[in-house]
Amino acid sequence: MTKEVSDKLQELKIPELKSSLTSKLKNEVYKAISEIKTTFQDSPEGMKYFLNRYEDLIDDQNKDYKNKKIIATNCIYVPEELIYASGAIPVRICNGFYALDQAGANYLPAKACPLVRSTIGMIDNNYYPFGAEPLMVVNPSSCDQKKKMGEIQTKSNIPIYLLETPPVKDSDDAREYWLKSIIRFKSILEKTSRQKITKSKLKSAINKIYLAQNEFRRFNNLRKNAGIISGTEAITVINTYFFDDIESWTTHLNLLNNELEKKIQIKKQLNSTDKPRIILTGSPSIFPNIKIPLLIEKHGGIVVNDDFCSSTRFLYDTIAVDEWNMYDMIPAIAERYLKPSTCPNLSPNKDRGRKLIETIKEFNANGVVYQSLAGCHLFEIESLNIISLLRQSGIPVLYIEVDYSPENTGQIITRLEAFLESLT
Amino acid sequence: MKKIRKYIDNSNLSLFRSIIQIIFFIILVYGGFKAISISEKIPTFACPYNVRTGGTCYLINIQHQLHSEWAGFITWRGISVLTALLTFIGLFIILNKSWCGFICPLGTIQDWLTKLRRLFGVRFSRYNKTSFKSLKVIKYIVLILLLVIPLGMSNSFFGLPKITEDMSAPYCQLCPARTVLPAATGDFTQFYIDFSSTTTIIMTTLAMIITALFFVGSFLKKRFFCFFCPMSALQFLFAKIGLLRLVKVGNKCTSCGNCSRVCDIGINAIADDLENKFIVKDDCMMCFKCVEACPENNCLKVKFTGLTIFRSTDEGFFKRFSKTKDYNITIDRKLSKND
């Protein structure tokens, strides 16, 4: 078989494969959206924008990112400030699509983490938001599975850059190593996007993120009035930040916040103040994988907060720059991504339990649901410590192991119902 | 009341501090023109070698008082030593270490040098953890020496000969405030090398070197000299009874490190210490930049006699740090019951 023939065969095959994949993805998104719409009838007006963004996401005609500089990121460790300053747009590609999880299963063992599998599924099928063609995929060495995933040869020829992250955050050496890694990443970015990262560009990138963070924190604070917005919706809102235009996202979150504030003023709340308030922790739930929060809220609970790296932790931590020059901004950026991190790849990771307990107090939560993706070893291993810590503090906790498959929810529902009942 | 609280929490304390610093610089360095003298035992550098000084530093006071035979301390001299110490403590505890951050004219000069460096875009330097730990001991050694040497001039220790009178007020001979503060009034007579004896040659040469180091060091490193300041060491002995306090609520801390990043001295403990409520370390100068940079509500608080006067809030943080007006979003938050 000559090369030409094989190329032609592939050309014929791929669109077919792709179209079946697209229809699967569409199905998943529509299903998740309709679940949200039917479950939360009292949903605020401002939610519409965020749900529409998902419809745009799976719209084949939408090619907004076609000719733009896009840098695909794979983890919370990738410094967005630098990407914006290099004139590119960061798009985070860890996702919750079951169809992509299945597609990625060709490359990774059956017991691998579905989040990593779906990421490689996305890379393999070149299925990026809004027709984007990323200049590179930034893949941090935060967990072993992600790290090794980057070495796998897929159908895609987009370069994968390994961003080195330290396994420890407290030692001086680790911090220095991370700073060096960031400085190297900066020069790689400049080469890739063919634009120098200047002082003023970096400053305005940091400021863009400040505004997004400010709105996010406002939103997070409003969630203390339990029932004002459901946890499932909140996770959906924050997940759009993965791929949305940052200015438009911030503006719309601002509108949503204003609406929620007004709602609180006229005391229009869902009849949910007596519902058990749950905090989610563990492996991230990324839209459309909103199985657990949705089940909790369908069965009488309310998710008031979470500590997922895909939602609350994604935007929470801020940068403080003393002197707005490169020599201070770059270390400040490096510190933002390492020092407050509670990623389970860090050892020791005492901050995680401590912050979780503080969040429980602050949000007046009744219980914790620890979600672990089947195959996510780090969160599975750390569950022992966290659960015993929570039990010591007298906080009820339920451990659930999940995957992306939409089936097999029967057992989870039974356990959740029993847990929620025990809290009331 | 809530509105005032919010206004203060959102305020730019650093700007306020700069203004206070200028005012006190004028009072303490040029105050003599108007015959102002705050006190002779003030817990900050106000150098009497500067004839226009508006107060006198307690260190020169104590060095002269300790220049006495042991027997002298049980007479009227002992009482005056004690009253001077009490005056010093009394003045000190009102503002605690803020004397360094808000009032000290030598500190103010260092802050101005920092501003100059920033203008040139020159990178600042920072000690790493190990050098920080070993260097911070120096100020205690200097403090002990400045107390022991005057005693050694009048008394013989362990049968050793008495120290020469040329060592009178030994710290002042080396202090950069002696050369720099008179120079601020146009008096450059303190720049000299005294050839009258070996001791004076050594001391005055050292003083010139230290003065040069002061300018170079504090240009390259924020608050370079404060790290070695014996006044700071002496003050710290009484910091725990200060009326002005910096308090950290450890479990609200997210370890983001913003506070230690902006710290002029580079204190790591402000971020890493989650246990101690009383967070003022010996190198701290209570400038409260850390409170400004903390994005957690109520994590860091400035208290005066138990009353919170300034505290960290996320709204305040974004107000101070975010500088774009790109799109039409205000950072203001509604006042809620929780505040």
Side-chain angles (χ1 to χ4, degrees):
Chain A
M1 202 157 47
T2 57
K3 199 174 172 291
E4 274 175 34
V5 176
S6 73
D7 278 356
K8 261 218 174 118
L9 268 175
Q10 277 221 325
E11 251 172 56
L12 283 172
K13 246 182 181 173
I14 288 169
E16 190 192 309
L17 262 175
K18 217 170 178 177
S19 74
S20 78
L21 181 68
T22 356
S23 65
K24 275 186 196 164
L25 299 177
K26 272 185 187 166
N27 255 337
E28 280 182 49
V29 169
Y30 283 127
K31 203 176 153 230
I33 291 177
S34 74
E35 287 262 27
I36 289 178
K37 280 184 179 160
T38 49
T39 316
F40 311 107
Q41 310 250 334
D42 207 11
S43 171
E45 278 295 297
M47 265 304 290
K48 276 187 186 149
Y49 167 81
F50 297 99
L51 291 178
N52 284 340
R53 285 311 275 164
Y54 284 104
E55 287 179 17
D56 297 344
L57 182 71
I58 44 158
D59 180 3
D60 298 330
Q61 308 308 315
N62 194 324
K63 300 278 183 206
D64 281 357
Y65 282 171
K66 178 94 182 161
N67 291 317
K68 285 192 178 150
K69 288 182 191 170
I70 305 288
I71 302 284
T73 70
N74 209 348
C75 176
I76 188 179
Y77 271 105
V78 186
E80 292 183 301
E81 288 86 354
L82 290 175
I83 298 178
Y84 281 119
S86 76
I89 302 167
V91 170
R92 194 164 154 190
I93 60 167
C94 346
N95 62 78
F97 287 106
Y98 180 52
L100 290 174
D101 170 28
Q102 283 177 313
N106 299 334
Y107 293 98
L108 288 166
K111 283 187 177 168
C113 164
L115 186 93
V116 180
R117 276 203 312 238
S118 64
T119 312
I120 200 169
M122 191 178 244
I123 295 171
D124 186 39
N125 287 293
N126 260 321
Y127 191 86
Y128 296 103
F130 311 130
E133 287 160 359
L135 300 171
M136 69 171 167
V137 177
V138 187
N139 188 35
S141 64
S142 46
C143 78
D144 287 353
Q145 298 186 36
K146 275 192 179 165
K147 189 164 67 186
K148 297 313 279 182
M149 179 205 82
E151 293 172 29
I152 297 170
Q153 186 58 49
T154 57
K155 279 181 294 205
S156 146
N157 48 14
I158 294 168
I160 296 185
Y161 175 76
L162 180 77
L163 179 69
E164 294 173 39
T165 61
V168 177
K169 67 171 182 176
D170 301 313
S171 76
D172 259 7
D173 290 342
R175 286 172 186 178
E176 209 168 297
Y177 170 55
W178 174 236
L179 178 60
K180 279 183 185 160
S181 175
I182 293 287
I183 291 170
R184 203 168 343 130
F185 176 57
K186 173 182 164 260
S187 65
I188 294 281
L189 261 179
E190 284 174 335
K191 265 181 219 154
T192 318
S193 67
R194 293 205 196 85
Q195 187 175 314
K196 224 175 140 34
I197 296 174
T198 59
K199 194 170 102 176
S200 61
K201 280 191 182 120
L202 192 54
K203 189 176 171 182
S204 85
I206 291 175
N207 273 303
K208 249 185 211 176
I209 291 174
Y210 271 153
L211 288 181
Q213 284 178 326
N214 176 49
E215 284 310 322
F216 164 74
R217 279 188 176 228
R218 231 180 107 199
F219 181 62
N220 210 34
N221 225 16
L222 288 169
R223 283 176 74 187
K224 284 182 187 161
N225 305 281
I228 198 75
I229 187 162
S230 70
T232 316
E233 285 169 299
I235 285 172
T236 310
V237 166
I238 299 157
N239 282 172
T240 44
Y241 184 78
F242 275 41
F243 52 82
D244 202 0
D245 171 61
I246 184 167
E247 298 194 13
S248 140
W249 187 85
T250 313
T251 319
H252 283 92
L253 187 57
N254 179 270
L255 295 176
L256 178 61
N257 283 340
N258 293 345
E259 186 188 338
L260 294 180
E261 254 169 19
K262 261 180 214 147
K263 245 184 168 182
I264 292 169
Q265 269 180 345
I266 52 171
K267 305 257 178 248
K268 192 190 169 199
Q269 290 198 9
L270 299 175
N271 310 320
S272 58
T273 31
D274 51 340
K275 284 184 182 174
R277 299 147 73 101
I278 302 293
I279 300 240
L280 275 174
T281 182
S283 314
S285 260
I286 305 173
F287 193 90
N289 171 37
I290 46 168
K291 195 156 76 176
I292 295 297
L294 195 63
L295 284 178
I296 293 173
E297 297 190 321
K298 266 187 176 174
H299 293 92
I302 175 144
V303 177
V304 282
N305 210 330
D306 58 70
D307 77 345
F308 293 157
C309 57
S310 61
S311 29
T312 301
R313 229 152 59 61
F314 196 18
L315 276 151
Y316 191 81
D317 299 308
T318 54
I319 286 176
V321 183
D322 193 25
E323 300 180 8
W324 292 89
N325 283 320
M326 288 303 253
Y327 59 74
D328 202 25
M329 281 192 269
I330 302 275
I333 290 167
E335 281 190 2
R336 172 194 163 186
Y337 290 92
L338 186 67
K339 274 192 172 177
S341 172
T342 54
C343 178
N345 83 318
L346 297 168
S347 175
N349 194 16
K350 283 195 177 147
D351 276 349
R352 180 163 171 228
R354 191 175 60 82
K355 282 190 199 176
L356 191 58
I357 287 177
E358 189 55 33
T359 319
I360 290 164
K361 270 190 219 154
E362 223 175 284
F363 284 78
N364 202 5
N366 306 102
V368 171
V369 172
Y370 194 117
Q371 156 176 292
S372 194
L373 289 174
C376 174
H377 299 140
L378 292 168
F379 275 116
E380 279 171 357
I381 295 167
E382 214 172 73
S383 67
L384 295 172
N385 283 343
I386 296 288
I387 289 172
S388 76
L389 180 76
L390 291 176
R391 295 231 163 105
Q392 271 169 27
S393 320
I395 299 152
V397 47
L398 176 71
Y399 177 82
I400 304 180
E401 195 184 80
V402 282
D403 53 20
Y404 279 6
S405 112
E407 286 117 40
N408 316 327
T409 50
Q411 202 211 353
I412 295 174
I413 293 175
T414 322
R415 293 181 61 203
L416 266 177
E417 275 180 335
F419 180 67
L420 292 172
E421 206 153 287
S422 76
L423 295 178
T424 40
Chain B
M1 197 58 204
K2 269 185 187 170
K3 273 187 181 162
I4 300 168
R5 161 95 276 149
K6 188 175 152 166
Y7 177 78
I8 295 172
D9 291 340
N10 289 346
S11 66
N12 185 343
L13 188 74
S14 285
L15 183 69
F16 173 72
R17 185 167 75 97
S18 302
I19 296 166
I20 297 286
Q21 278 184 315
I22 293 170
I23 294 171
F24 272 98
F25 189 85
I26 294 168
I27 295 175
L28 288 180
V29 178
Y30 305 103
F33 283 116
K34 291 274 174 222
I36 293 174
S37 176
I38 295 181
S39 160
E40 302 211 320
K41 283 99 191 169
I42 62 172
T44 191
F45 287 150
C47 192
Y49 284 86
N50 165 24
V51 288
R52 308 291 183 210
T53 190
T56 307
C57 167
Y58 177 60
L59 286 183
I60 190 166
N61 213 296
I62 195 170
Q63 287 175 88
H64 282 305
Q65 284 181 331
L66 291 180
H67 185 358
S68 155
E69 284 169 22
W70 293 118
F73 291 113
I74 45 172
T75 59
W76 58 270
R77 200 184 181 100
I79 293 164
S80 74
V81 171
L82 210 65
T83 49
L85 184 67
L86 287 175
T87 320
F88 165 77
I89 295 173
L91 282 170
F92 169 71
I93 60 170
I94 301 169
L95 293 178
N96 206 341
K97 290 209 123 200
S98 278
W99 279 98
C100 305
F102 285 75
I103 295 171
C104 179
L106 207 60
T108 307
I109 290 176
Q110 292 178 73
D111 285 349
W112 291 341
L113 283 168
T114 296
K115 280 187 180 132
L116 188 72
R117 174 184 52 74
R118 195 185 294 200
L119 217 63
F120 287 118
V122 179
R123 177 192 297 260
F124 58 81
S125 48
R126 240 179 133 94
Y127 301 125
N128 63 22
K129 262 188 198 166
T130 7
S131 0
F132 190 90
K133 259 191 189 155
S134 45
L135 289 173
K136 71 190 286 176
V137 185
I138 292 177
K139 60 177 166 298
Y140 291 102
I141 299 172
V142 176
L143 177 66
I144 291 168
L145 285 176
L146 83 83
L147 298 177
V148 170
I149 291 173
L151 284 170
M153 289 192 304
S154 311
N155 305 285
S156 150
F157 286 120
F158 314 113
L160 293 168
K162 288 180 185 171
I163 298 168
T164 157
E165 285 291 322
D166 287 341
M167 289 292 277
S168 159
Y171 174 69
C172 294
Q173 294 192 30
L174 301 177
C175 181
R178 177 178 65 86
T179 48
V180 175
L181 295 184
T185 61
D187 171 13
F188 292 93
T189 51
Q190 293 297 329
F191 291 85
Y192 63 86
I193 290 178
D194 183 353
F195 288 97
S196 44
S197 78
T198 332
T199 316
T200 54
I201 293 175
I202 294 173
M203 289 304 269
T204 46
T205 314
L206 269 177
M208 289 301 108
I209 294 171
I210 289 171
T211 306
L213 274 177
F214 170 81
F215 282 109
V216 177
S218 42
F219 183 75
L220 294 175
K221 196 187 167 298
K222 295 183 247 183
R223 291 276 181 154
F224 167 81
F225 180 76
C226 301
F227 202 56
F228 309 107
C229 176
M231 179 68 95
S232 160
L234 182 65
Q235 285 182 351
F236 186 62
L237 303 177
F238 312 103
K240 286 210 168 157
I241 54 167
L243 302 178
L244 190 69
R245 278 155 185 272
L246 177 61
V247 174
K248 175 172 175 179
V249 183
N251 50 12
K252 287 197 188 287
C253 176
T254 65
S255 329
C256 71
N258 281 359
C259 46
S260 73
R261 276 207 63 67
V262 299
C263 179
D264 283 351
I265 310 271
I267 299 171
N268 284 310
I270 179 87
D272 297 342
D273 190 343
L274 302 171
E275 312 288 310
N276 287 324
K277 222 175 140 95
F278 178 84
I279 201 72
V280 176
K281 302 287 162 189
D282 51 356
D283 306 300
C284 179
M285 53 166 182
M286 283 185 137
C287 63
F288 308 128
K289 271 171 90 175
C290 48
V291 187
E292 282 190 302
C294 178
E296 299 308 313
N297 289 330
N298 295 318
C299 180
L300 287 171
K301 289 180 201 165
V302 183
K303 287 188 169 182
F304 189 75
T305 60
L307 205 76
T308 305
I309 49 174
F310 185 58
R311 57 175 189 160
S312 60
T313 57
D314 56 354
E315 185 184 356
F317 171 85
F318 286 112
K319 282 232 162 184
R320 283 183 287 264
F321 281 84
S322 163
K323 277 168 185 148
T324 31
K325 290 184 176 72
D326 281 0
Y327 34 117
N328 219 355
I329 291 177
T330 51
I331 283 168
D332 279 303
R333 306 207 176 162
K334 291 254 159 63
L335 292 165
S336 70
K337 270 180 274 172
N338 302 331
D339 288 328

